[in-house]
Amino acid sequence: MASESSAIATGEWHPANSSRAVPAILREEGVLLVAVEEGRTLASAVPERIEISPRVGSIPRRVRFPDGSVFETRDNDGVDGYLRVRRGPRSGLLHRLEKFHPRLILMTLAVILLATTIYRFAVPVLVEVAVLVTPPFVPDLIGSGTLASLDRTILKPSDLPEGERQAISEGFSKLAAQSKGGQGAYRLNFRDGGVIGPNAFALPDGSLILTDDLVKLANGDREMILGVLGHEIAHVEGEHSLRQLYRAAGVAALVMLIAGDVGSGVEDILTQGGALLALSYSRAAEAEADRRSVELMRAAGYDPVALARFFAVLEDKLGDHRDASILSSHPGTPQRQQDIRNYAAQSGGRLQAR
Ligand SMILES: [Zn+2]
């Protein structure tokens, strides 16, 4: 094959696993790339089986043959000239794209816009499908996993006197009895909340966690506490926390979940306590839970607007906007308190003097 022989670059050839350097020339001979020394072939291979290192400044280029030997050259232009000819059509396309920046930018924007749109519409749909197909053991798994994880990290056993806990638990039972799931669907857990301060939240399995600080903040006004618990029951009834978790879990986890593959990966995502605490419900979910608290409280024979009083006290005494505080997920704005009072008035029941 003496035809079509042309030199690409001059440099040195190193045998495999050897530091020996032989002055050599890299040539293209027909379909073969060879390193030669005074007419003697040192190594050869078809171009597809040869690795050529990318151009990085003036660092010597390395051309690796399948036998492990390496041709090294400082003639970057020679190597690039060869690559340009060989990859003709491909580099040509890149070149054209580079020349037409505006079109490239537009194309990129269009792709991003399309992806964002699909994501925005697909995630809510996936979330609803996932909620629908969620087998009952999944909320249980999430609930117990999350509580265990929180107990290991943030929460401590409650210091409240037994009598106080008993009294709140009794009120809670009356309240939960008015819910859709009935009393048996809910469990109230008392904890010292540590950094999360005065707080209450619900897990998808019907476990509610109430912190000592919240009980202390209520300062003996037990109905205030029950108003908050009614609100949390509503989050469980509406499957709000399940939805929020699914939303946070991401598309991949949702697809796995819908496909029935509740593997350890999905479990990890869904049972991380921190993830749940960092979630905040949508305003619509909050408003729905507020109204439900009014209904549950009234049905159980308590002050329907106790929740509004609680928010007033919370903002008053705390005025605190720490990320993990109940206010970050439950802003107790005056408007919100008014909405609760308005709903209580509209929905019939007598407003208790206050
Ligand atoms: Zn809420």
Side-chain angles (χ1 to χ4, degrees), residues 104-125:
L104 180 64
I105 291 166
L106 273 179
M107 251 174 68
T108 312
L109 286 180
V111 169
I112 292 172
L113 191 70
L114 187 69
T116 317
T117 309
I118 290 173
Y119 194 82
R120 271 187 58 189
F121 288 98
V123 168
V125 171

Side-chain angles (χ1 to χ4, degrees), residues 66-109:
D67 66 0
S69 69
V70 172
F71 174 83
E72 215 174 68
T73 179
R74 292 185 174 277
D75 186 359
N76 271 315
D77 291 341
V79 174
D80 285 341
Y82 161 75
L83 289 175
R84 215 170 10 252
V85 172
R86 205 186 121 209
R87 295 175 182 166
R90 234 164 82 199
S91 67
L93 176 64
L94 279 174
H95 211 67
R96 278 203 295 280
L97 283 175
E98 275 162 13
K99 265 192 192 159
F100 289 96
H101 275 294
R103 198 182 293 172
L104 180 64
I105 291 166
L106 273 179
M107 251 174 68
T108 312
L109 286 180

Side-chain angles (χ1 to χ4, degrees), residues 231-232 235 281 286 289 329-330 336:
H231 172 98
E232 295 303 327
H235 279 319
Y281 298 118
E286 285 305 325
S329 55
H330 295 85
R336 184 171 183 182

Side-chain angles (χ1 to χ4, degrees), residues 31-345:
V31 294
L32 286 177
L33 216 57
V34 297
V36 294
E37 177 204 31
E38 292 165 3
R40 183 166 70 97
T41 297
L42 299 166
S44 69
V46 290
E48 289 72 27
R49 301 204 55 210
I50 285 172
E51 288 170 38
I52 300 177
S53 65
R55 182 172 190 152
V56 183
S58 58
I59 294 170
R61 296 290 270 278
R62 294 169 66 82
V63 178
R64 184 179 294 278
F65 288 89
D67 66 0
S69 69
V70 172
F71 174 83
E72 215 174 68
T73 179
R74 292 185 174 277
D75 186 359
N76 271 315
D77 291 341
V79 174
D80 285 341
Y82 161 75
L83 289 175
R84 215 170 10 252
V85 172
R86 205 186 121 209
R87 295 175 182 166
R90 234 164 82 199
S91 67
L93 176 64
L94 279 174
H95 211 67
R96 278 203 295 280
L97 283 175
E98 275 162 13
K99 265 192 192 159
F100 289 96
H101 275 294
R103 198 182 293 172
L104 180 64
I105 291 166
L106 273 179
M107 251 174 68
T108 312
L109 286 180
V111 169
I112 292 172
L113 191 70
L114 187 69
T116 317
T117 309
I118 290 173
Y119 194 82
R120 271 187 58 189
F121 288 98
V123 168
V125 171
L126 283 175
V127 164
E128 290 311 308
V129 174
V131 168
L132 271 178
V133 303
T134 296
F137 76 89
V138 171
D140 291 347
L141 186 89
I142 295 171
S144 56
T146 302
L147 188 53
S149 142
L150 288 175
D151 276 339
R152 276 195 307 274
T153 52
I154 297 170
L155 304 175
K156 291 194 259 325
S158 167
D159 284 331
L160 291 180
E162 180 58 38
E164 175 97 57
R165 275 186 273 177
Q166 194 103 42
I168 296 170
S169 290
E170 276 164 25
F172 176 72
S173 296
K174 279 173 71 180
L175 200 60
Q178 307 300 324
S179 73
K180 283 175 201 152
Q183 196 183 321
Y186 298 90
R187 280 167 312 286
L188 181 59
N189 301 276
F190 295 90
R191 292 289 191 277
D192 177 335
V195 292
I196 65 170
N199 221 319
F201 54 93
L203 303 177
D205 66 343
S207 298
L208 271 65
I209 289 93
L210 175 65
T211 70
D212 293 0
D213 281 350
L214 193 148
V215 175
K216 284 169 196 155
L217 189 75
N219 197 22
D221 185 344
R222 226 156 258 151
E223 293 199 0
M224 236 187 226
I225 300 167
L226 294 177
V228 174
L229 295 178
H231 172 98
E232 295 303 327
I233 286 175
H235 279 319
V236 179
E237 273 186 346
E239 292 175 311
H240 297 157
S241 60
L242 200 59
R243 279 196 176 79
Q244 282 305 96
L245 274 171
Y246 283 175
R247 230 163 264 155
V251 173
L254 285 177
V255 169
M256 282 194 277
L257 201 78
I258 292 168
D261 175 16
V262 188
S264 60
V266 178
E267 199 182 321
D268 283 352
I269 294 167
L270 295 178
T271 57
Q272 268 165 18
L276 191 123
L277 278 180
L279 298 175
S280 54
Y281 298 118
S282 68
R283 276 166 69 179
E286 285 305 325
E288 184 189 327
D290 285 352
R291 291 193 296 270
R292 190 68 181 132
S293 169
V294 169
E295 293 166 4
L296 290 171
M297 288 290 282
R298 178 180 290 134
Y302 296 119
D303 176 6
V305 298
L307 180 64
R309 289 211 317 272
F310 169 76
F311 283 131
V313 168
L314 192 66
E315 277 226 313
D316 230 39
K317 290 204 178 165
L318 247 56
D320 136 1
H321 293 273
R322 278 178 299 174
D323 280 351
S325 101
I326 193 172
L327 276 177
S328 69
S329 55
H330 295 85
T333 58
Q335 181 60 50
R336 184 171 183 182
Q337 295 162 33
Q338 193 54 51
D339 288 346
I340 293 170
R341 293 200 162 90
N342 289 346
Y343 182 74

